[in-house]
Amino acid sequence: MSEKQRILLVDDDPNISHLVRLYLEKEGFDVTESARGDEALEAFRRESPALVLLDVMLPKLDGFGVCELIRRQSRVPIVLLTPRSEEHTSELQSLRH
């Protein structure tokens, strides 16, 4: 029997987290949730997820900060969840480098 892959879901909107979690678990993934950036970093270190789904707008430490700190220690895939807006375009482009 193969072990389920763990996904770290980071979003401060409980409705979004609940819906995404349902879909991921239905597809056979284990899901760890965090609602704040600082909690997400603790969960990342503790759980070693195969993928991080990361909201950009978070309390305490935003998603860009979380992404930067994760990148210092891991090459795990990170998918940024953000509303489409010009406000984040330059920050998103800077992540390419």
Side-chain angles (χ1 to χ4, degrees):
M1 179 180 240
S2 65
E3 189 175 320
K4 290 183 178 183
Q5 288 192 309
R6 177 157 307 277
I7 294 177
L8 175 58
L9 172 59
V10 187
D11 199 307
D12 62 332
D13 184 325
N15 294 322
I16 292 173
S17 292
H18 178 73
L19 183 61
V20 172
R21 180 185 197 108
L22 286 175
Y23 280 106
L24 292 172
E25 288 178 340
K26 183 179 177 187
E27 293 301 320
F29 295 99
D30 280 333
V31 179
T32 298
E33 287 184 55
S34 292
R36 296 188 345 217
D38 56 335
E39 292 174 348
L41 291 172
E42 291 174 22
F44 178 80
R45 291 181 190 112
R46 183 179 63 248
E47 302 290 339
S48 299
L51 173 71
V52 178
L53 296 176
L54 179 60
D55 183 17
V56 170
M57 298 183 321
L58 296 169
K60 300 283 182 184
L61 177 62
D62 72 15
F64 294 113
V66 173
C67 183
E68 182 180 334
L69 291 169
I70 288 174
R71 272 294 159 258
R72 290 181 185 174
Q73 58 186 304
S74 175
R75 297 303 300 166
V76 67
I78 300 172
V79 177
L80 292 173
L81 307 174
T82 180
R84 184 181 170 112
S85 77
E86 295 299 318
E87 177 183 348
H88 298 297
T89 300
S90 63
E91 290 173 281
L92 290 170
Q93 289 174 340
S94 71
L95 294 174
R96 296 171 129 184
H97 305 290

